[in-house]
Every structure is written in structure tokens, then in C-alpha cells.
Amino acid sequence: PAMEALMKVDIVGAGMAGLLAGAMLRKQCRAIYEAQRELPNNHSAVLRFRSSVVADVLNIPFKQVQAVKAVEPWRNPIADAMAYSRKTNGTATMRSVLTATSEPQTRYIAPPDLINKMAEAVEAPIELGKAHFFCTHRPIISTIPMPSLMAVLEYPEQESIKFESRRGLNVVVKLADCDAYCSLYVADPTFPAARISITGNELVAECYGGWEPLHQLEFAEECVRKMGLHDSQIRDVEAKAQRYGKILPIAEDVRRRFIMWASEVHGVYSLGRFATWRPGLLLDDVVNDVRVIQRLIANSGEAYPHKKRS
């Protein structure tokens, strides 16, 4: 709509969600502001897409592959699911380990320089090293974590909301003579990695709860052997920390109430996994969320779809 095209938007955060929004909004995006002095590439875990929707909106070719997920047996299926859950987020709930059926599934793999390609697809200027949050103009799309946005906006209820997350450490191993797409879930509490994945020639072992490898190479060799490969295939090992390795959900009504308050009172629209505090959100889903925000901005009096249902 013409009204939508005229409403310029500032974006805070030049991570994947912010760059995706900037690329989709095209000339409707005034600028993207990023506190870091270079484009953040905080995602060192496995990045596979369930559909081609992100590739399509960005016009960036993704590789279609058949990926396999499996569980390394520990005790029994229920015990394995519970142990995996405790390992990843500290609580015993039924986790995604239950979906690992060893059946091949179609996935889409982004190119290794996805962040740079996304930035190239953004028509608006990307302002790096801009630590201040408040831009002069409204509306704003914010991709910063919800606890941080609550503090910036001085949300009245923030003191009563408890946000929990677990730090992550990803051990990334470059491999020779390997081109595979698979994940192995490891429930055994005595083994540091919860999931070991191979994407092409790169193995990633995801560890949580503040664990640090004393001997990176020895740990990498053990992970490689679990995947049926040989130590001699290892070419490089690197450990990458993730502040928000896993985030734990908060009450749905609390989450929604803040998101609506921020948009209605301040003209700030939350976008992305950490900004909306949705642990299971995929970048595939963010495409639709950008379109929802576009409609909300174009019709600023319109309620969120879920507000009408609640």
C-alpha cells in the first residue's frame, strides 16, 4: 500500500533478523543502527533452514540438501529426552531430541558469507558503532534482547520478570574429505556436547552451562569419532562462546504484553528470537513477522493479531 511505502522505519541491530528486515523493507528502511563496530556474526551454532523462504526474499541461492538427525542411545527414549533437556536448558522437559528419527529431511543451507550477502541486500545505510538506542524517528524495529529493551524503555513491570538463559560454547571443527549434513543428539550427562552436527565440511559441537574445554583438540577428536570420522580429517579447531546459547521461555501473556506496550506506547516493534524471547523461533518465521510489523506500522491503530484473540 502507498501509505506503507511512505512510512520510513529505523532498525536497531544488524544481526540476521535486523539485516533480513532491512533487506525486505527496502526503501522503507531509513537506516540500521548497530552498536558493534563491525557486522555481528554471533551465530556459530548450526544454521539450517526448513524452507527456501529466506533465500527467496533475499534473492540469495541456498543449497538444498538431505539432512539426517539421530540420537546416540544412552538409557531409554524417555530418559534420553529428559537428560538432553537438562543438559541444554537445565530443566527436564520433552525436547527436540524426540524428533530425531534418522529419516532424511530436506533442508536449505546458506552460503558461508551469508551475513555479508544480507548486508549487500540492504539499500539503507548501516551505521556501525552506534551504541545509542534511541533514533530520532519513529517507528523503530528493535532486534535487541527483550530484557535490554525493557531496561531502555523503563518498562514498569520489568523487575517482576525473570529472564533465564544458558551460556553456550560451540567447538567448531574444519574437516578434510567430508561433505555431509547431519546431527547427533547426545543425552549422556557425562559428555559435554549436547548436539554434534556436520554441515558440509564443518563439525559443530554445542555445549551449555559454562563448560570450557581444557583440551580442545582431544575433545574435537572425540566428537569426530562419534560421527564415524577419523582424527586425521581434522584441519582446524576453534571454540566460540555464545552469551545466549539457550533462552528459556517466560509466561506467554507477559511476553505479549510487553511487545504490545513497546509498540503502542513507544512505537518500537520487536523482531527476532531474542527481541520477542521465543526460544523456538527460526529465521524462516521472521520473514512473516516482518510482514506483520509492516502492516502494523501502516495501520498503527491496528491491534496485534494475537491481541484480538486474547
Side-chain angles (χ1 to χ4, degrees):
M3 180 181 175
E4 188 172 308
L6 291 172
M7 184 73 76
K8 292 282 189 177
V9 182
D10 284 338
I11 297 173
V12 176
M16 287 188 180
L19 293 176
L20 178 61
M24 289 180 64
L25 293 174
R26 300 182 182 278
K27 295 187 184 304
Q28 192 182 351
C29 175
R30 181 184 286 104
I32 299 179
Y33 296 90
E34 170 55 49
Q36 296 186 44
R37 297 190 178 276
E38 57 186 22
L39 286 174
N41 191 356
N42 302 323
H43 195 98
S44 57
V46 179
L47 186 64
R48 297 186 192 133
F49 296 84
R50 293 183 180 176
S51 73
S52 63
V53 63
V54 175
D56 295 341
V57 298
L58 293 173
N59 196 27
I60 296 174
F62 282 19
K63 182 179 181 180
Q64 182 176 323
V65 302
Q66 292 298 302
V68 174
K69 297 190 295 183
V71 178
E72 182 180 67
W74 179 53
R75 289 186 175 171
N76 59 68
I78 292 176
D80 290 1
M82 293 294 195
Y84 177 80
S85 176
R86 286 180 56 82
K87 199 172 185 179
T88 54
N89 62 24
T91 62
T93 58
M94 289 298 175
R95 301 288 295 171
S96 57
V97 67
L98 295 174
T99 66
T101 60
S102 301
E103 292 292 325
Q105 299 174 324
T106 300
R107 291 292 182 265
Y108 296 85
I109 308 298
D113 58 346
L114 176 62
I115 294 289
N116 290 332
K117 288 186 181 298
M118 292 176 81
E120 290 168 6
V122 176
E123 296 181 21
I126 300 173
E127 303 285 348
L128 298 174
K130 300 290 185 181
H132 64 280
F133 174 79
F134 274 107
C135 317
T136 348
H137 308 94
R138 294 292 186 276
I140 290 172
I141 292 177
S142 167
T143 66
I144 69 173
M146 186 178 283
S148 303
L149 183 59
M150 282 186 177
V152 168
L153 299 181
E154 298 181 347
Y155 185 51
E157 300 177 30
Q158 63 179 301
E159 297 299 329
S160 64
I161 303 168
K162 186 179 180 183
F163 290 94
E164 293 183 276
S165 62
R166 301 197 83 198
R167 298 184 70 88
L169 185 88
N170 299 323
V171 177
V172 182
V173 184
K174 294 292 185 184
L175 300 166
D177 305 318
C178 182
D179 183 19
Y181 302 87
C182 50
S183 291
L184 180 69
Y185 294 84
V186 185
D188 183 353
T190 64
F191 188 73
R195 183 171 68 165
I196 306 170
S197 301
I198 297 175
T199 302
N201 66 343
E202 184 177 87
L203 179 148
V204 177
E206 299 170 54
C207 311
Y208 300 100
W211 176 82
E212 294 281 349
L214 295 177
H215 306 287
Q216 279 186 27
L217 182 58
E218 289 179 15
F219 175 68
E221 289 171 345
E222 198 168 352
C223 291
V224 163
R225 288 194 292 269
K226 279 185 180 291
M227 301 302 277
L229 302 176
H230 195 271
D231 302 355
S232 63
Q233 292 177 256
I234 295 175
R235 290 295 175 267
D236 184 57
V237 180
E238 184 181 5
K240 299 181 179 182
Q242 285 203 283
R243 178 183 176 187
Y244 293 112
K246 291 284 183 185
I247 59 174
L248 306 187
I250 59 174
E252 187 65 8
D253 61 326
V254 171
R255 189 184 69 80
R256 290 178 175 180
R257 188 161 60 247
F258 169 72
I259 291 171
M260 289 187 290
W261 176 87
S263 63
E264 292 168 357
V265 176
H266 294 280
V268 177
Y269 296 82
S270 299
L271 178 74
R273 176 182 295 183
F274 304 115
T276 61
W277 211 257
R278 284 186 285 173
L281 188 73
L282 302 173
L283 203 61
D284 307 60
D285 306 316
V286 175
V287 171
N288 183 64
D289 290 350
V290 172
R291 291 172 177 152
V292 169
I293 289 173
Q294 274 187 291
R295 291 196 298 271
L296 292 170
I297 290 172
N299 307 282
S300 52
E302 178 184 315
Y304 276 90
H306 60 245
K307 184 176 181 182
K308 295 176 180 178
R309 295 195 299 268
S310 56

